[in-house]
Amino acid sequence: MLRAALAAGTILVAGFGAQDAFAQSGRLVIGAVNNAEFVALKDLLPEFNRLYPDIDVEFQLVPENEVRAKITTDVTTQSGIYDLITTGPFEVPMWGRTGWLEPLDEIMDDPAYEADDVFEAYLNGLSHDGKLYAAPGSAQASMLYYRKDRLNAAGLTMPEAPTWDQVVEIASQLHDPASGQYGLCLRGLPGWGQMGAPLGTVINTFGGRWYDADWNAQITSPETSAAIKFYIDTLQSATPPGVTQFGNQECGQAITTGQAAMLFDDSSWSQVFFDPNTNPFAENMAVAMAPVKEAGSKPSAWFWTWAWAVPTSANNKEAALAFIKWVTGPDYIPYAAPIKGWGNMPGPARQSQYEDGSPYSEFATPFMAVLDRTLATVDGVNGTHYDDTPYTGNQYIQIPEFQDLGNRCTQEFSGAVVGQQTADEAIAKCQQYAEDVAVNGGYKN
């Protein structure tokens, strides 16, 4: 049915992109994370309804930790709450393998979609067994952001590819709690996709990993435990107060309010931080590569995209497909950016938008060199330093149990940050959780 509908062709609509020739109608319920790009998208729904006047869109924006739980429950129980979801390369290959998501290869076959323009790495990260199960809405890795004016005033220089020791040393010299100025913001909010995302890359670059080749938990190994202790120490010594309540959005606000001098986080913050309409300090922002443990070692950025997928339990699949083609197609960002500003756009997932002379490349000039290098070197599959690591994934382990494991472990680490227990105690508990997963999940003989 879907293939036949998509094969029906397209007709051009004056002013914006292409509309499918087959009819879509009815209610379309969308579950999405409440990031700025999706808030802006919600404001632009009248344009979608101009193209598809018979589709009634219900757009539910939910904080990241909450939306992950809601979407996971909906998809894994096949309850049919959502017709369209935002998800990512952690979930999509697993959910595609189990038959919980609709394959989207038909969209890729539509010439009007210009699939060859989408970054191949992100398509690969959203596929299983050669079938695409989600369309990338953004291209995201991670970078270090910093206020160059504050570094200059202190006589400090940030390398383009810094080590974590260099970052912490600079942060310590900029850290002035008495003046309400803090050296660095890192996610301290528990959650596998909150604290767990940057922490996962720190574990990788310190030479650690979650499991060895035989699925023996490695949380208490010298390398992994050193990375976790480093992260906890940094949260305690160089970040704003209450950092265990700081996730992606709160750390971004720490930059735009002038609270923090530096932030290691998602590359999509580039649009926000370098747009004077969304950051009063835009002209003083600069970027560096994701920090590493040792200079010259393997890059340590994470790999992500907020992608659009259709659960097989969706009640209105045709409307969901129409929305995906609109929001991830070649015309959406060129249409939306002049209206909402670059600070409310996703990091483009299409190569053409990075070409010299494109509107995005002109806006992105201050950070494009680092972003290009980051996107060219990020590895979303093999994040560790070991060839025999038994799992795939960068800042996560691509097994279903990791959502709970990552949530539980980061909760323990958060407890260590606020002094409820020692770092060693938190690490020991996480080690046991990881061992239980390996045994109960059947990964370890």
Side-chain angles (χ1 to χ4, degrees):
M1 178 179 178
L2 296 179
R3 179 177 293 277
L6 286 163
T10 60
I11 55 174
L12 292 179
V13 178
F16 188 90
Q19 179 180 3
D20 294 299
F22 66 91
Q24 298 93 4
S25 61
R27 183 167 174 253
L28 175 65
V29 182
I30 301 175
V33 66
N34 66 340
N35 291 352
E37 66 196 76
F38 298 113
V39 174
L41 170 59
K42 188 174 183 180
D43 291 341
L44 296 173
L45 289 179
E47 175 61 20
F48 176 75
N49 281 131
R50 187 179 72 80
L51 300 175
Y52 301 97
D54 295 325
I55 298 177
D56 180 20
V57 180
E58 180 182 333
F59 207 132
Q60 298 180 13
L61 292 173
V62 186
E64 185 168 331
N65 274 352
E66 295 177 37
V67 79
R68 288 186 189 278
K70 287 187 175 184
I71 286 174
T72 297
T73 299
D74 178 44
V75 172
T76 58
T77 63
Q78 294 286 278
S79 55
I81 295 172
Y82 296 118
D83 300 302
L84 183 59
I85 58 173
T86 56
T87 184
F90 166 68
E91 300 95 339
V92 169
M94 295 187 294
W95 292 352
R97 182 175 64 248
T98 54
W100 292 337
L101 298 178
E102 290 288 340
L104 301 183
D105 296 304
E106 294 91 342
I107 287 181
M108 299 296 109
D109 293 338
D110 183 349
Y113 189 76
E114 300 179 17
D116 289 345
D117 190 32
V118 182
F119 284 119
E120 186 176 2
Y122 290 86
L123 294 177
N124 292 341
L126 297 168
S127 299
H128 171 70
D129 198 22
K131 291 185 178 294
L132 186 76
Y133 288 94
S138 59
Q140 297 171 223
S142 53
M143 301 191 297
L144 182 75
Y145 301 94
Y146 62 95
R147 287 275 300 278
K148 60 186 178 183
D149 58 328
R150 292 188 60 186
L151 269 72
N152 291 340
L156 301 170
T157 301
M158 178 68 71
E160 184 178 274
T163 67
W164 271 113
D165 285 342
Q166 289 172 323
V167 170
V168 171
E169 174 59 27
I170 292 172
S172 68
Q173 296 191 51
L174 300 176
H175 194 61
D176 185 10
S179 301
Q181 299 286 320
Y182 305 93
L184 174 67
C185 197
L186 285 173
R187 300 186 194 183
L189 182 67
W192 74 268
Q194 288 285 6
M195 180 198 290
L199 174 57
T201 68
V202 174
I203 289 172
N204 292 339
T205 194
F206 270 61
R209 54 180 171 172
W210 285 80
Y211 295 99
D212 68 12
D214 297 317
W215 285 95
N216 296 305
Q218 296 294 293
I219 311 304
T220 55
S221 71
E223 297 85 0
T224 306
S225 61
I228 295 167
K229 289 178 180 178
F230 169 84
Y231 198 90
I232 290 172
D233 288 344
T234 303
L235 289 177
Q236 291 174 326
S237 65
T239 63
V243 73
T244 55
Q245 299 302 311
F246 279 56
N248 171 267
Q249 294 299 304
E250 292 78 13
C251 271
Q253 291 165 9
I255 292 292
T256 58
T257 60
Q259 190 178 20
M262 295 189 290
L263 168 64
F264 171 58
D265 211 285
D266 194 339
S267 62
S268 64
W269 279 114
S270 300
Q271 279 75 251
V272 176
F273 293 159
F274 287 85
D275 185 341
N277 294 312
T278 50
N279 182 16
F281 310 104
E283 66 178 3
N284 291 314
M285 296 301 300
V287 295
M289 299 287 291
V292 292
K293 180 66 170 69
E294 304 291 343
S297 62
K298 180 180 178 179
S300 66
W302 71 61
F303 176 89
W304 192 256
T305 174
W306 281 113
W308 295 92
V310 183
T312 53
S313 57
N315 296 301
N316 197 341
K317 296 174 184 177
E318 290 184 352
L321 289 169
F323 195 92
I324 290 176
K325 292 177 72 174
W326 175 69
V327 77
T328 69
D331 297 321
Y332 174 72
I333 288 182
Y335 162 78
I339 298 172
K340 302 301 294 185
W342 286 110
N344 293 300
M345 291 294 100
R350 291 179 170 271
Q351 301 171 73
S352 61
Q353 291 164 352
Y354 293 78
E355 293 173 355
D356 289 345
S358 69
Y360 181 71
S361 71
E362 293 177 4
F363 163 76
T365 297
F367 59 87
M368 183 61 85
V370 170
L371 180 59
D372 269 347
R373 186 176 169 191
T374 298
L375 294 178
T377 57
V378 67
D379 186 345
V381 176
N382 304 304
T384 74
H385 287 276
Y386 303 90
D387 293 334
D388 63 353
T389 295
Y391 56 85
T392 59
N394 189 320
Q395 73 274 26
Y396 50 78
I397 305 170
Q398 203 159 59
I399 58 174
E401 297 88 349
F402 185 69
Q403 289 200 42
D404 181 62
L405 175 60
N407 289 345
R408 293 175 72 189
C409 286
T410 52
Q411 189 68 55
E412 299 295 349
F413 303 150
S414 176
V417 173
V418 299
Q420 293 175 347
Q421 60 186 336
T422 68
D424 284 327
E425 289 170 336
I427 289 168
K429 290 178 182 178
C430 181
Q431 170 79 10
Q432 187 59 58
Y433 299 155
E435 279 289 347
D436 291 343
V437 164
V439 173
N440 296 335
Y443 303 101
K444 182 178 179 179
N445 295 327

